[in-house]
Amino acid sequence: MNCETALQLIDAFMDSELDPSTSLEVSTHISACPACKQALESRQALSKAIKLAAAFAPAPAALRGQIRHKIQPRPHFRYGIAAFGMAAVVAACFGFATWKKNSDLRRDQDQVISDVMAHYQASESSAHIVDIRSKECGSLKNWFNSKVNWSPKVYRLFSQPFTMVGGRVDLVGNQAAPVIVYRSGNSNVDVFVTPSVDVKPRNVDAQGLHVRSWSDSGHDYYAVSNGSPAEINAVQSALKVCR
Amino acid sequence: MRHVDAAYNLSLWLLRDPHDAEDATQSALFKAFRAFGRMRSTDAKPWLLAIVRNECMDLLHSRSVRTRSEHPTDDVLDFAEATELDPEGAAIQSLDAEAVLGAINQLPPEFREVIILREIEELSYREIAGVINKPVGTVMSRLARARTRLQLMLTSTGECV
Ligand SMILES: [Zn+2]
């Protein structure tokens, strides 16, 4: 191989785009030819410089944030397309499966909190507390897996004052959510589990109910109780992952 | 949000204007949504970047005032250009980021895009060919010429090709 050919192939060589035998030829030439070796080193230096410079480019972080903000479903989005449309665009970019799981759940945390409070009150007044009685988290987990199309971790309580009563499934947003019911003193504590939309921890104390919401290892949790605030705080801190 | 970042970055590199880049990215995402059903590629990134790139190029071509109206010829690599490089002087002395960014921004868009897609987005030649809708050979020659131009800009003192 002569210098002209080697220089012609030097970019493809550097970018690992040559077939193995051509690549070997270029490599052999370069190791014997200081001029071509110099040319390769210059190209490599340039490549590195571009990557470094790009890292220092006027950071579009703030602007990226704006873009992100804008592609969130919003009613006054400039193209006026439905929120669903933009959610789907995001999905196209980030994987359909993730979207399918999360887009249904991308709802206001307030709405979820009011949902879970309504479910809690409905179950308390109907005396239909659970669909399945179980004190054993493994069987409860299996039952949930047959009822919802995603795999929640079931949490159990290990501290003595609390016992697991069982589970039921409620519709939160438009998604089936496992609900684990615990007994604490004279009150029930319902823990709703949803695929994570990364909720900010929030406490709501209203209508004689206490709601604690938090996010952990891929799930969002909403604990509801009509007991004392101290009681539900204790429940929250006693929850551990059941594997 | 990785791909959206890449989409926005490519728009910004090509259009050099944050507002235009934002518009182009949004418009491209909108088109991406409409085309979603026709998506053939299993790799979403080059597919999305192709839409973004076309959006930017349309915008650039429709701009009434263009700083450069140069179009690269897509025949074989211009070796006159390559051999202008004196191996001794080719070592890039000053690699400060500002100079490199300035040099990239002086490239015609057709050269700039292959540099960004290769060096920053790290796409393969085949993927780049898909994005710019040109043969792989064109990608190879444009990339070589773009790099040579950058080297010349960064080694000569203020003298641009
Ligand atoms: Zn040589």
Side-chain angles (χ1 to χ4, degrees):
Chain A
M1 183 174 285
N2 60 26
C3 289
E4 192 181 312
T5 313
L7 286 175
Q8 193 177 359
L9 296 173
I10 210 151
D11 289 277
F13 174 76
M14 180 176 83
D15 294 327
S16 308
E17 293 274 350
L18 293 178
D19 63 86
S21 70
T22 312
S23 182
L24 184 66
E25 279 183 62
V26 174
S27 168
T28 308
H29 175 90
I30 284 171
S31 60
C33 173
C36 286
K37 188 164 188 265
Q38 174 67 64
L40 175 65
E41 281 166 3
S42 293
R43 285 295 215 237
Q44 287 167 334
L46 176 71
S47 177
K48 197 174 160 192
I50 294 169
K51 287 177 168 71
L52 280 173
F56 286 102
L63 293 154
R64 272 189 221 161
Q66 284 174 29
I67 287 268
R68 263 173 214 184
H69 189 61
K70 279 186 179 160
I71 64 171
Q72 297 300 319
R74 282 200 304 176
H76 59 281
F77 185 69
R78 60 187 303 165
Y79 294 100
I81 82 172
F84 169 77
M86 286 326 284
V89 169
V90 174
C93 311
F94 310 117
F96 193 72
T98 313
W99 167 72
K100 187 151 171 41
K101 191 168 74 179
N102 288 334
S103 71
D104 292 339
L105 293 157
R106 200 166 302 238
R107 64 208 178 255
D108 202 285
Q109 196 179 358
D110 287 337
Q111 185 56 52
V112 176
I113 288 173
S114 91
D115 279 0
V116 300
M117 287 168 79
H119 285 309
Y120 183 88
Q121 281 168 327
S123 83
E124 289 289 313
S125 58
S126 72
H128 180 81
I129 309 293
V130 292
D131 294 327
I132 180 174
R133 292 202 160 266
S134 173
K135 286 186 160 50
E136 203 271 303
C137 83
S139 60
L140 193 54
K141 186 175 176 176
N142 290 339
W143 184 79
F144 280 135
N145 286 346
S146 70
K147 295 286 171 190
V148 298
N149 61 358
W150 55 287
S151 293
K153 296 177 194 112
V154 173
Y155 277 51
R156 68 190 161 95
L157 296 168
F158 68 97
S159 308
Q160 268 313 311
F162 313 113
T163 51
M164 183 184 280
V165 179
R168 66 170 195 274
V169 173
D170 278 337
L171 212 55
V172 175
N174 48 13
Q175 177 101 8
V179 186
I180 307 130
V181 180
Y182 302 97
R183 190 76 184 165
S184 165
N186 289 325
S187 53
N188 295 318
V189 179
D190 290 4
V191 178
F192 295 74
V193 190
T194 68
S196 191
V197 290
D198 257 338
V199 296
K200 298 264 186 301
R202 258 187 78 186
N203 298 343
V204 173
D205 302 285
Q207 302 163 40
L209 299 180
H210 309 288
V211 183
R212 301 289 176 269
S213 66
W214 70 98
S215 191
D216 184 26
S217 339
H219 298 334
D220 293 338
Y221 295 90
Y222 295 84
V224 192
S225 170
N226 59 5
S228 70
E231 209 168 38
I232 195 167
N233 291 341
V235 170
Q236 186 183 347
S237 58
L239 290 170
K240 295 289 170 202
V241 182
C242 164
R243 296 185 192 280
Chain B
M1 300 302 290
R2 242 169 347 109
H3 297 339
V4 172
D5 279 357
Y8 178 70
N9 274 330
L10 181 61
S11 302
L12 191 58
W13 278 109
L14 291 177
L15 300 171
R16 289 179 289 183
D17 177 276
H19 184 77
D20 285 354
E22 211 176 285
D23 282 354
T25 307
Q26 285 186 30
S27 175
L29 288 170
F30 178 62
K31 287 177 180 169
F33 163 64
R34 286 193 305 186
F36 185 53
R38 298 195 301 273
M39 178 181 172
R40 275 168 302 173
S41 167
T42 48
D43 195 350
K45 186 177 165 182
W47 174 76
L48 179 63
L49 291 184
I51 296 169
V52 170
R53 181 263 176 195
N54 290 340
E55 192 68 29
C56 292
M57 285 300 177
D58 285 352
L59 209 67
L60 280 178
H61 288 130
S62 70
R63 273 182 186 170
S64 50
V65 184
R66 287 190 58 190
T67 45
R68 277 168 181 263
S69 56
E70 180 180 356
H71 291 275
T73 50
D74 285 323
D75 36 17
V76 278
L77 177 58
D78 181 355
F79 286 104
E81 205 168 30
T83 48
E84 278 172 44
L85 271 178
D86 165 30
E88 294 295 320
I92 298 172
Q93 301 298 330
S94 154
L95 289 181
D96 64 296
E98 215 172 304
V100 176
L101 294 176
I104 295 171
N105 281 331
Q106 280 185 51
L107 291 173
E110 290 82 357
F111 284 174
R112 196 157 63 230
E113 66 180 355
V114 291
I115 287 288
I116 303 309
L117 292 170
R118 175 63 216 168
E119 304 288 12
I120 297 165
E121 297 305 333
E122 299 185 328
L123 299 189
S124 70
Y125 286 11
R126 192 181 48 80
E127 287 172 325
I128 297 170
V131 171
I132 71 170
N133 197 24
K134 295 277 187 218
V136 169
T138 303
V139 172
M140 207 180 292
S141 67
R142 280 192 186 174
L143 192 54
R145 296 182 67 181
R147 281 173 173 157
T148 298
R149 283 184 179 224
L150 288 174
Q151 276 176 285
L152 288 170
M153 281 190 262
L154 292 166
T155 48
S156 58
T157 47
E159 201 182 290
C160 293
V161 271

